[in-house]
Structures are given as C-alpha cells and as structure tokens.
Amino acid sequence: MAAAKGSRSGTIHQISASNGGVPKLPLEQARAFIGGLEGDAQADGKHHGGPERALCLFSLEQIEEMAAEGHPIAPGRAGENVTLAGIDWSLVVPGARLRLGDGVLVEISSYTTPCWKNAPWFIEGDFNRMNQKTNPGCSRVYARVLEEGLLRTGDAVDLLDESAAERVARQQPPTIRWRPPGRGG
C-alpha cells in the first residue's frame, strides 16, 4: 500500500536492532541518541554508524512494493533501525527533518549505499533494487540525531515543514567578515 502523495505524517511501524549485521530484529522501544540506537551495533564501523549515520530509516511502503515484486524482504531485514509507515518517501531527502515520537528530532544526512549483505532479501541477490542511483526513491536513508529520546512502535512521525531558505541557511557555514589593519570602521 503506497503512502498518500505528499503525506508528511505517519507512524513508526517497527524499531529494529542487532548485535551487528542483518537482519535487525524488532524492539517495542529503544532510545535514540547522538551515536545511534540503544542495543544496536554495526559489524562494519567504517561504512555504518557514527553521528552522521546514527539511524538508518526505511519506508514500509517501499518494503511492501519490493515484497510484491517477489523479493523476500521485510522490515528490519535491510538493516534499517526505524521503519516508517504513511510518509511520502519521495519527500524524505538529505536535509529533511523528522520528528519521531514526542522527543526525537532527526535530520536526513544521506542516502545509504546498499551492502552485499542484503543480497538474501532480493531476487537473484540484486540488492541494488534499493540503490538511490539506479532506483531513485527506493533507498534507505541515514539520519543524524539532533534531539535524543525514546522511540516506540506506533509513535507518530512528522516530516517537518520548513522553507527552502531555512534549509539553505541552516546548511551554510557562517560568513566571517574582517577588516584589514589600518582600515577604519
């Protein structure tokens, strides 16, 4: 079932964690913090985890679409920590901010690069089915945690509405102006 076009609100369908690798298994709740998700570990710290990749998010509707094509994928199998339902996934792009539950604020930092360890969840091992470069809009995303807190299955999710000017201003480094010595001012 596809999310309504333009839908900016939904729910947390599943929270998932593992001791490293995939699949990640469901949890009823977990604390999201700057470094990641409580109870979750990554086997490969070079390519996964850290503040810029604290959480991996994916769309239930994208998972269901892939499953309908015959891929044996399900929530948590692709390594996502948070499976979202009801949000128009085309709006979840780098720079976008989401409020997860009552207190957790995240900002999408990048699209993920599919890993060969996801091959079992795809027909003929074609894990590039969820590659943003070859299948735009079908990728998982990484997020940085800006405000920590507890996540629960069923919590509300809101894609925050901000203007392009606010987004650009937030992403631009500050401008430092100085005057050369001897110039009045």
Side-chain angles (χ1 to χ4, degrees), residues 9-14 82-87 152-158:
S9 61
T11 60
I12 295 177
H13 175 77
Q14 183 170 306
V82 184
T83 308
L84 305 177
I87 300 261
R152 295 178 195 85
T153 299
D155 275 355
V157 175
D158 291 302

Side-chain angles (χ1 to χ4, degrees), residues 32-34 97 99 102-106 144-149:
F33 61 99
I34 301 297
R97 289 185 173 190
R99 176 71 64 189
D102 292 331
V104 179
L105 178 65
V106 300
R144 62 181 67 88
V145 175
L146 303 176
E147 295 176 13
E148 302 177 339

Side-chain angles (χ1 to χ4, degrees), residues 8-183:
R8 302 182 72 81
S9 61
T11 60
I12 295 177
H13 175 77
Q14 183 170 306
I15 301 165
S16 306
S18 74
N19 288 327
V22 293
K24 292 189 182 289
L25 302 176
L27 303 169
E28 287 195 31
Q29 64 181 29
R31 182 171 166 71
F33 61 99
I34 301 297
L37 186 73
E38 169 186 65
D40 190 49
Q42 289 78 36
D44 176 1
K46 179 180 177 185
H47 297 101
H48 306 288
E52 294 299 305
R53 299 175 300 213
L55 297 178
C56 181
L57 295 98
F58 206 17
S59 161
L60 176 63
E61 290 79 13
Q62 290 300 316
I63 292 169
E64 288 174 340
E65 181 180 310
M66 292 175 197
E69 294 169 3
H71 301 288
I73 190 170
R77 286 190 176 175
E80 78 275 9
N81 301 113
V82 184
T83 308
L84 305 177
I87 300 261
D88 180 346
W89 199 242
S90 69
L91 302 175
V92 181
V93 298
R97 289 185 173 190
L98 294 101
R99 176 71 64 189
L100 307 176
D102 292 331
V104 179
L105 178 65
V106 300
E107 182 177 77
I108 305 305
S109 55
S110 66
Y111 295 106
T112 66
T113 300
C115 176
W116 64 269
K117 292 181 181 178
N118 284 300
W121 323 126
F122 293 92
I123 297 169
E124 297 180 7
D126 184 15
F127 56 87
N128 278 310
R129 174 60 181 86
M130 62 178 182
N131 188 327
Q132 181 66 19
K133 291 179 183 175
T134 57
N135 293 290
C138 298
S139 176
R140 301 162 298 155
V141 294
Y142 280 128
R144 62 181 67 88
V145 175
L146 303 176
E147 295 176 13
E148 302 177 339
L150 187 64
L151 299 175
R152 295 178 195 85
T153 299
D155 275 355
V157 175
D158 291 302
L159 180 60
L160 303 180
D161 192 14
E162 61 182 353
S163 72
E166 289 171 317
R167 219 175 6 261
V168 168
R170 182 171 32 80
Q171 294 175 348
Q172 295 297 315
T175 301
I176 299 171
R177 304 212 185 265
W178 59 276
R179 291 205 162 111
R183 298 265 174 128

